[in-house]
Amino acid sequence: MRVFDIHTHPILRREGCGQSAVKRLIRESRALGITRMNILGDVAHNGPCQTAEQVTAINEESAQLQAAYPDFFTFFCYLNPTLGEKAVMSEVERCVNKHGARGIKLEAANHAADPCMRNIARAAREFDIVVLQHSWSTDTNKLSKGPKVQTDPDHTALFAQRNPEVKIIMAHLYGCGHRGVIAVKSLPNVWVDTSGAYPIDGILEYAVEHLGAKRVLYGSDIPIRESRVKIGHVQGARISAAGKKKILYDNAAELLGIA
Ligand SMILES: [Zn+2]
């Protein structure tokens, strides 16, 4: 079965990484049936709230990988929404028009219910691209006391409600959990990817039951997770073969407009 991994972070700049590591990644991935990977960038390199220059450096690296292996890689443009409208719009324009980015990636510079997200919605609408939002089931009361910002599924759901015409991927089914599935159940503009942490028995079946297989996308979050393990979660799930095919490849290909 072909696999399209919507959620990956191949990295070039860190020690021990580089072009030979990328070649090895492609070779080993293809051996597992992965024929396409979508790059989200080295988003953790300089902390959660990066400067415009750091954002551009991440995106240039992703664009470079896509240009080197166009049959294998696509990429999403990483953004820091707190930099404001001008910075957001100009970086998206650059990434889409110059490099062919197919989406926007958001991490933890802010959470998805923040007012600055209106600029992200505008960019997604104007360039007709999808938004992948890092999301994790979180005790938001605790977060409000500290400097750390994390998007809870409820934040992602609010962003989706405010912008029903924007297609949103809520990252990390295995971090959002059952309540994450319920948070976005009534929102047809939200997909969920299968990345996240520990295995949770039955969570993928639960997502398919409540969202339908069409709204679940395979994502690994490599290199911090293992492709073999993550593909195994899908292949071993108690869902139909047709559902697995949609999750592993077809949904991502359709969402990103890849034949
Ligand atoms: Zn990730």
Side-chain angles (χ1 to χ4, degrees), residues 100-120:
R102 291 172 191 262
I104 291 168
K105 156 67 175 168
L106 302 172
E107 187 73 11
N110 59 289
H111 68 64
D114 275 348
C116 64
M117 290 291 285
R118 82 169 77 85
N119 302 320
I120 300 298

Side-chain angles (χ1 to χ4, degrees), residues 7-9 40-41 43 105 107 132 134 171-172 193 195 220-222 224:
H7 191 138
T8 77
H9 304 274
L40 304 180
V43 296
K105 156 67 175 168
E107 187 73 11
L132 186 146
H134 166 89
H172 308 311
D193 84 31
S195 65
S220 69
D221 220 348
I222 59 144
I224 61 165

Side-chain angles (χ1 to χ4, degrees), residues 15-70:
E15 214 175 315
C17 304
Q19 291 297 343
S20 63
V22 172
K23 285 200 177 98
R24 191 171 66 240
L25 169 71
I26 295 173
R27 194 175 58 242
E28 291 176 356
S29 299
R30 282 190 168 136
L32 296 174
I34 301 163
T35 58
R36 281 199 170 272
M37 273 188 175
N38 187 52
I39 301 167
L40 304 180
D42 188 6
V43 296
H45 193 42
N46 291 299
C49 202
Q50 310 208 15
T51 66
E53 292 72 28
Q54 289 167 339
V55 166
T56 296
I58 288 170
N59 291 329
E60 281 302 302
E61 182 177 285
S62 301
Q64 193 187 321
L65 281 172
Q66 179 186 261
Y69 306 97

Side-chain angles (χ1 to χ4, degrees), residues 6-7 76 128-135 153 156-157 159-160 163-173 176 180-181 183-195 207 211-219 246-247 249-257:
I6 196 86
H7 191 138
F76 283 3
D128 192 22
I129 51 177
V130 59
V131 177
L132 186 146
Q133 171 67 60
H134 166 89
S135 310
T156 306
F159 177 60
N163 302 284
E165 68 291 359
V166 176
K167 291 174 180 163
I168 297 154
I169 301 167
M170 181 174 78
H172 308 311
L173 172 62
C176 293
V181 171
V184 300
K185 181 174 177 173
S186 65
L187 301 165
N189 57 325
V190 182
W191 285 251
V192 62
D193 84 31
T194 65
S195 65
L211 308 178
K214 280 222 73 138
R215 286 173 60 197
V216 182
L217 305 164
Y218 172 73
K246 286 190 184 106
I247 293 166
Y249 192 93
D250 296 353
N251 295 340
E254 193 179 325
L255 200 54
L256 270 55

Side-chain angles (χ1 to χ4, degrees), residues 178 181-182 184-186 204-212 215:
H178 296 82
V181 171
I182 294 306
V184 300
K185 181 174 177 173
S186 65
L204 190 55
E205 291 86 344
Y206 188 80
V208 169
E209 180 190 339
H210 288 274
L211 308 178
R215 286 173 60 197

